């Protein structure tokens, strides 16, 4: 559109009144706003797209006032940005590394699901993925016909069913290294895990309902700290997943690359980047629970769902046991408070949230085990139960969790 407008303007006299800059001005505005609209299609780049649109409007204003050099400069810049964007999309130059790892995680490992919002794909065979921030951290995943890491296990024979998120799934460890696999070996009987990364209390409720229909002897509800950040309705959870999947399909976008670069600079300038604690472990400023978990009353919805899970298991006559999994930051609490003194609210809310969940379980007569003390003891003697950069358990962390659960006598 900008090109057509400028060609039309060139056909006029160079002494034409300024009002005749209307055509190129509108054309430039249309072109720039079209590119800004393209950037807006990626929700995470709204600030960058807004700035881009503003620049286009200012340049269009220069054209309106008959500033021919500004008009031609705008055209060159517009075409240059458009050409660079097309080149990035065609070559996939910017979809490597972190973006490619995350694209594969969302698109190849998961799929939409009407009941859970999304779920791991059924029938995966040794899907190899890497952590987007550490290419050396890799996982190999296989799933059964239900989409869970229970290949070769008989659901009907399994008396212990574990429900949870990425910790129970076993992020970046083998199925045998995961605490569920280690408990199988200790107990000498099969156990199954109904879990996936990013699941929350609403998915837990749906999975517990599935488990109750098959009446195992025990259901183990494994709660992680970020479940305290609130809950997303299952229908929205699917849309949320689809947004992430689409985001990393379009990770080749030049707009997204520029936006992420600017965001990283702003976060570092504000001191919100990750920082290194003892033994080379990296901690992140925004941990587990929502910073305003109790103040904003997020807990009401979370605890209402949690209460329904407790009640349903009792109604069905199936033994329910709750396991509380702490965030890396809560386990390394002293380091976290030293590195991020202004973000202590996260850890306080996580600890208080877990106290509330443990209290609810006690009132309902449901055993509850908090793994925080066992993991902290390991840290105090120099062991590293979490990966250095990733927030999940290392094989040692899974081992410590399995030992604590196996030694627990509720």
């Amino acid at each position: 559109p900008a090109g057509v407008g400028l060609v039309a303007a060139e056909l006029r006299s160079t002494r034409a009144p300024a009002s005749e800059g209307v055509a190129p001005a509108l054309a430039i505005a249309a072109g720039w706003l079209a590119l800004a609209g393209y950037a807006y299609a990626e929700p995470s780049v709204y600030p960058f797209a807004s700035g881009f649109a503003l620049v286009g409007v200012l340049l269009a204003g220069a054209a309106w006032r008959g500033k021919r050099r500004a008009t031609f400069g705008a055209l060159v810049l517009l075409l240059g940005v458009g050409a660079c964007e097309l080149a990035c999309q065609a070559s996939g130059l910017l979809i490597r590394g972190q973006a490619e790892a995350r694209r594969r995680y969302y698109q190849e490992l998961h799929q939409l699901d009407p009941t859970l919002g999304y779920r791991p794909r059924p029938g995966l065979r040794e899907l190899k993925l890497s952590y987007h921030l550490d290419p050396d951290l890799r996982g190999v995943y296989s799933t059964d016909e239900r989409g869970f890491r229970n290949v070769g296990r008989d659901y009907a024979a399994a008396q212990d069913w574990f429900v949870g998120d990425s910790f129970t799934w076993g992020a970046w460890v083998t199925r045998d290294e995961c605490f569920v696999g280690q408990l199988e070996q200790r107990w000498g009987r099969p156990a199954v895990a109904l879990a996936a990364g990013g699941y929350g209390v609403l998915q837990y409720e749906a999975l517990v309902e599935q488990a109750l229909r098959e009446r195992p002897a025990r259901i183990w509800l494994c709660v992680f700290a970020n479940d305290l950040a609130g809950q997303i309705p299952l229908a929205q959870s699917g849309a949320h997943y689809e947004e992430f999947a689409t985001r990393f399909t379009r990770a080749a976008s030049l707009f997204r690359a520029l936006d992420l670069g600017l965001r990283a600079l702003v976060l570092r300038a504000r001191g919100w980047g990750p920082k290194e604690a003892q033994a080379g472990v990296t901690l992140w400023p925004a941990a587990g629970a929502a910073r305003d978990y109790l103040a904003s009353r997020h807990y009401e919805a979370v605890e209402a769902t949690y209460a329904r899970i407790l009640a349903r298991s009792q109604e069905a006559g199936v033994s329910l046991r709750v396991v509380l999994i702490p965030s890396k930051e809560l386990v390394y609490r002293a380091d976290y408070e030293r590195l991020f003194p202004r973000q202590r609210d996260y850890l306080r809310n996580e600890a208080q949230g877990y106290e509330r969940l443990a209290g609810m379980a006690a009132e309902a007569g449901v055993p509850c085990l908090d793994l925080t003390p066992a993991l902290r003891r390991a840290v105090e003697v120099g062991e590293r139960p979490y990966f250095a950069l990733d927030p999940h358990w290392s094989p040692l962390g899974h081992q410590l969790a399995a030992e604590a659960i196996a030694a627990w006598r509720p």
Side-chain angles (χ1 to χ4, degrees):
V4 172
L6 287 172
V7 169
E10 276 300 304
L11 295 178
R12 299 177 181 272
S13 168
T14 57
R15 297 181 179 274
S19 61
E20 293 188 359
V22 171
L26 293 178
I28 288 175
W32 275 87
L33 292 174
L35 280 177
Y38 171 81
Y40 263 110
E42 168 50 72
S44 73
V45 299
Y46 283 166
F48 184 78
S50 299
F52 193 72
L54 178 60
V55 171
V57 171
L58 293 175
L59 289 172
W64 184 288
R65 295 190 301 271
K67 304 290 186 180
R68 301 182 66 80
R69 287 187 178 181
T71 304
F72 279 104
L75 174 63
V76 172
L77 188 57
L78 177 69
L79 295 178
V81 170
C84 288
E85 175 65 14
L86 289 174
C88 289
Q89 292 283 359
S91 66
L93 179 64
L94 301 178
I95 201 170
R96 297 172 185 168
Q98 294 186 24
E100 175 64 9
R102 300 190 75 173
R103 182 198 67 78
R104 295 192 64 222
Y105 175 82
Y106 284 104
Q107 292 200 329
E108 297 184 28
L109 181 58
H110 297 97
Q111 66 181 30
L112 291 175
D113 182 83
T115 302
L116 299 169
Y118 67 93
R119 70 183 310 140
R121 291 183 181 275
L124 294 175
R125 290 295 175 264
E126 297 189 352
L127 175 66
K128 298 179 176 62
L129 298 176
S130 62
Y131 179 43
H132 65 282
L133 295 178
D134 182 2
D136 293 330
L137 185 57
R138 297 183 176 89
V140 180
Y141 305 108
S142 297
T143 58
D144 59 16
E145 68 282 356
R146 301 191 188 196
F148 299 116
R149 296 182 79 182
N150 302 316
V151 176
R153 276 81 174 177
D154 183 357
Y155 282 80
Q159 294 302 299
D160 294 276
W161 288 45
F162 290 80
V163 173
D165 66 353
S166 52
F167 283 82
T168 309
W169 162 266
W172 315 120
V173 298
T174 67
R175 177 58 164 74
D176 290 338
E177 289 174 329
C178 176
F179 75 94
V180 178
Q182 294 195 41
L183 286 170
E184 283 182 320
Q185 299 168 26
R186 290 173 178 272
W187 290 336
R189 60 178 186 261
V192 296
L194 311 183
Y199 275 5
V201 288
L202 288 175
Q203 278 97 353
Y204 300 163
E205 182 180 27
L207 291 170
V208 166
E209 285 292 340
Q210 293 180 22
L212 290 174
R213 289 195 290 269
E214 303 192 44
R215 301 196 61 78
R218 289 164 294 278
I219 297 176
W220 301 75
L221 178 61
C222 304
V223 178
F224 179 58
N226 62 7
D227 298 330
L228 303 177
Q231 59 184 25
I232 302 174
L234 293 179
Q236 292 182 25
S237 177
H240 188 64
Y241 157 80
E242 198 166 29
E243 174 192 322
F244 272 91
T246 303
R247 174 180 302 178
F248 294 109
T249 301
R250 298 187 62 245
S253 170
L254 175 64
F255 293 116
R256 177 164 176 76
L258 293 172
D259 178 71
L260 290 177
L262 290 173
R263 284 171 181 262
L265 290 175
V266 171
L267 289 176
R268 287 188 178 277
R270 296 177 60 189
W272 267 74
K275 296 181 181 180
E276 188 172 311
Q278 60 177 294
V281 171
T282 298
L283 301 180
W284 299 81
R291 190 172 190 177
D292 58 350
Y293 175 64
L294 296 175
S296 67
R297 311 192 76 82
H298 286 157
Y299 70 92
E300 293 181 338
V302 172
E303 291 180 3
T305 304
Y306 181 69
R308 291 196 300 269
I309 295 174
L310 298 177
R312 279 292 294 124
S313 64
Q314 291 180 320
E315 292 172 5
V318 175
S319 175
L320 178 69
R321 299 179 182 185
V322 176
V323 177
L324 302 178
I325 299 173
S327 67
K328 181 200 288 188
E329 287 71 19
L330 186 63
V331 172
Y332 288 86
R333 183 165 194 161
D335 291 274
Y336 183 89
E337 292 181 342
R338 173 176 56 83
L339 295 170
F340 306 104
R342 297 181 180 178
Q343 280 81 48
R344 295 180 181 181
D345 294 345
Y346 289 102
L347 300 191
R348 186 188 68 245
N349 285 336
E350 180 178 338
Q352 291 181 348
Y354 273 4
E355 287 175 6
R356 294 177 65 89
L357 297 187
M360 291 176 64
E363 290 179 6
V366 173
C368 179
L369 173 65
D370 187 348
L371 295 175
T372 307
L375 294 166
R376 275 192 183 150
R377 286 194 295 269
V379 169
E380 289 170 359
V381 298
E383 294 181 325
R384 199 164 75 180
Y386 292 82
F387 289 114
L389 192 59
D390 184 83
H392 294 95
W393 285 334
S394 64
L396 174 61
H398 282 277
Q399 177 186 325
L400 295 170
E403 290 173 355
I405 294 172
W408 185 33
R409 295 291 181 269

